[in-house]
Amino acid sequence: MDPFVYNGLPARVIFGVGSLEHLSREIGLLGASRALVLSTPQQRDQAEALAAQLGSRAAGVFAEAVMHVPVETARRARDYAAAVGADCAIAIGGGSTTGLGKAIALETALPILAIPTTYAGSEMTPIYGLTEGGLKRTGRDLSVLPKTVIYDPALTTSLPPALSLTSGINAIAHAAEGLYAQDANPVVSLMAEEGIRALGQGLPQVMRKPDDLEARANCLYGAWLCGAVLGSVGMSLHHKLCHTLGGTFNLPHAETHTIVLPHVLAYNRDAAPAAMRRIARALHADDAAQGVFDLAREYGAPTSLKEIGVTAENLDVALDLALKNPYWNPRPVERAPLRALLEAAFEGRRPM
Ligand code: NAD
C-alpha cells in the first residue's frame, strides 16, 4: 500500500426519517439557546415552521439565501443575527443556504447546524464561497464547517425529481474526483465508492417514486459520503470547469455538473484507470463516463451545455479561463483535448 495522509473532519451527524425531532436537543448540545433559522425565499414556510417548532429557542428567521452568497446578503444576515441575539444558526436547505450559514460563521464564529434538503454536500466541507462585484472567491476555513448535521430524508421528498437527479449527480462528481485526487487515500475512497453506489441505487428509484423514503434515505446517505469526500481531498478538472462555466455564464449549478462530469471522466479515463473501475462498479456500468451519462439521459436530465444557454462562442472564453491556474488533474490539462471535451459537452454527445 502506498503511504498516505488522512485528514478527518469533525462532524456530528444525526441521520434518519424523523430525525428533525431532535433539533431542540441538538441546539442544546451546541451550548446554544437562540437559533437564527436560515433559508431561501422558496423555503421560507419550512424555516418558519421550524422556528415555530423551536418556540423560545428560535431567535428569528432570515429567508434571503440565494445562489453564490452575495457579500451584501451575508452582511445583512450577520447584522440580523447580532440584532436578534442569535447564538447559533440553523441552515435548512441546499448548498445556497448552507453557504450563507458558512458566510456568517466565517466572521462571527457562530456555530452552524445544517439540515440539508438537497444532495449538494456543502454541509460536510470547510469550503466557503462569497460573491462580490460579480466575482466569486472561495476559501477553506474549519470555522465554517457545520458542527452538527441533521439528515432527515423526509425533508427531501419535496425536492422536484429533476433537481433530485442533477443534485445527486453533483454529489457523484465530488466522489468521482475524490477517487483520482492527488491526495486520495484508501479511507476517503471507501466513502467515495459507497456514496456513488448509494446514489446510483437511490436516484432511479426517486425518479420513479419521488416520495419513496427508503430511496430518499439512500440518496441522502450517498450525498453525505460524497460531501465528506469533497471536504477531505482536492478537486480536479471537473470542479474547475464547472466553477468556470457556472461563474462566467451564470449557469444552474447542479445541471452544469451533470452535463460536464461524463466528459471529464472520459478525458481522465486512461490516466486514472483504478478510479474509473470503482466508479463503473458503483454504478453497475461497463464504463464510468458512460455510466454517469446514461443515468442522466435515461431520467431526462439535461446532457448538453447548449440546452442550458451556453453558446458556441462561449466555448473559447471558457477554454481560456479553464486553462488559467488549472487545478491538479491526473491527465495534463491541454488546449486541444480540452477544447474537444467542451465541444462534446456542448453537443451532449455520449462519451465514447
Ligand atoms: P440551492 O441550495 O440553490 O437550491 C436550489 C433550489 O431548490 C432553491 O430554491 C431551494 O430553496 C430549493 N430546494 C432545496 N431543497 C428543497 C426541497 N427539499 N424541496 C423543495 N425545494 C428545495 O441548490 P444546491 O444545488 O443545493 O446548491 C448550490 C450552491 O451550493 C452553489 O452556490 C454551489 O456553489 C454551492 N455548493 C457549495 C459546496 C461547498 O462545499 N462549499 C458544495 C456544493 C455546492
Side-chain angles (χ1 to χ4, degrees), residues 4-352:
F4 61 88
V5 174
Y6 168 74
N7 268 311
L9 289 172
R12 177 173 163 83
V13 169
I14 321 299
F15 190 100
V17 175
S19 54
L20 191 60
E21 69 176 273
H22 303 305
L23 180 58
S24 251
R25 178 193 77 196
E26 292 302 320
I27 293 172
L29 287 173
L30 286 173
S33 56
R34 286 184 61 73
L36 173 63
V37 184
L38 308 171
S39 75
T40 59
Q42 293 82 0
Q43 287 178 280
R44 174 185 282 279
D45 289 353
Q46 222 172 351
E48 282 176 352
L50 209 64
Q53 174 192 332
L54 288 176
S56 63
R57 279 187 192 267
V61 170
F62 186 88
E64 295 179 33
V66 288
M67 195 101 121
H68 304 316
V69 198
V71 283
E72 302 78 18
T73 311
R75 205 169 294 134
R76 272 203 312 282
R78 274 197 302 270
D79 290 348
Y80 187 66
V84 298
D87 57 7
C88 77
I90 297 175
I92 180 160
S96 298
T97 306
T98 309
L100 179 60
K102 289 174 165 181
I104 297 175
L106 187 63
E107 298 212 354
T108 62
L110 223 59
I112 306 300
L113 188 155
I115 307 173
T117 61
T118 71
Y119 307 131
S122 174
E123 67 283 354
M124 279 293 141
T125 84
I127 305 165
Y128 63 88
L130 279 166
T131 305
E132 186 163 23
L135 277 183
K136 186 169 179 175
R137 66 182 165 91
T138 57
R140 269 181 186 261
D141 194 314
L142 261 188
S143 68
V144 308
L145 185 71
K147 300 278 181 286
T148 306
V149 181
I150 296 181
Y151 285 110
D152 188 337
L155 298 174
T156 60
T157 53
S158 57
L159 189 64
L163 184 51
S164 302
L165 178 59
T166 54
S167 186
I169 296 177
N170 180 193
I172 290 176
H174 306 328
E177 290 233 295
L179 280 166
Y180 56 64
Q182 196 174 20
D183 53 352
N185 67 70
V187 180
V188 169
S189 294
L190 280 178
M191 291 196 269
E193 186 173 345
E194 172 65 359
I196 298 173
R197 188 207 58 75
L199 281 157
Q201 180 182 336
L203 288 173
Q205 296 167 334
V206 161
M207 295 311 288
R208 286 192 287 271
K209 194 165 177 282
D211 61 352
D212 180 336
L213 280 176
E214 196 50 39
R216 289 288 185 179
N218 256 325
C219 290
L220 203 53
Y221 166 67
W224 161 21
L225 296 176
C226 295
V229 174
L230 178 67
S232 302
V233 295
M235 295 293 119
S236 305
L237 177 62
H238 171 78
H239 282 77
K240 171 75 182 185
L241 272 182
C242 290
H243 292 161
T244 303
L245 288 163
T248 312
F249 307 117
N250 196 24
L251 304 179
H253 178 80
E255 284 89 335
T256 308
H257 275 266
T258 300
I259 294 163
V260 171
L261 183 62
H263 303 285
V264 173
L265 294 180
Y267 185 96
N268 285 335
R269 185 185 278 140
D270 294 337
M276 297 304 159
R277 271 196 301 277
R278 294 185 81 161
I279 298 165
R281 183 167 69 194
L283 290 174
H284 301 291
D286 294 330
D287 174 80
Q290 292 175 353
V292 174
F293 184 88
D294 293 344
L295 176 64
R297 188 173 58 179
E298 183 168 354
Y299 296 99
T303 50
S304 69
L305 289 173
K306 62 184 178 190
E307 269 173 89
I308 60 167
V310 176
T311 65
E313 292 71 43
N314 292 155
L315 296 186
D316 279 323
V317 179
L319 183 63
D320 286 338
L321 289 171
L323 286 166
K324 252 188 218 160
N325 310 317
Y327 298 175
W328 179 88
N329 191 61
R331 173 178 169 190
V333 178
E334 290 164 347
R335 181 169 287 272
L338 189 58
R339 170 82 208 189
L341 182 167
L342 284 169
E343 277 167 22
F346 178 73
E347 295 294 344
R349 287 196 285 269
R350 185 172 189 260
M352 295 309 290

